[in-house]
Amino acid sequence: MSQPSLLLSSAEATGSAPDGRWLAQVSQRLEASSALRRRLTVVINDQAVVRGGR
């Protein structure tokens, strides 16, 4: 029977996160596209409950 093994790499992992301003600009451009909006489906979260006006 073989034993489990773990290999750790010395290579650094890289990644990126979108800047809030950039993400807002992308969102605004997408929202401005009437052709895109016509193709979108609105999904409502039926797990949420309104309480106290919130």
Side-chain angles (χ1 to χ4, degrees):
M1 181 182 293
S2 66
Q3 295 294 319
S5 63
L6 174 64
L7 174 63
L8 298 175
S9 172
S10 63
E12 292 185 28
T14 60
S16 63
D19 175 76
R21 186 178 304 138
W22 175 85
L23 191 55
Q25 290 172 347
V26 170
S27 178
Q28 289 172 354
R29 287 180 59 197
L30 293 172
E31 290 172 352
S33 172
S34 60
L36 176 61
R37 284 197 322 265
R38 282 192 294 268
R39 298 181 62 193
L40 294 178
T41 302
V42 176
V43 178
I44 298 172
N45 180 354
D46 63 356
Q47 300 297 312
V49 178
V50 177
R51 291 186 184 162
R54 301 183 347 177

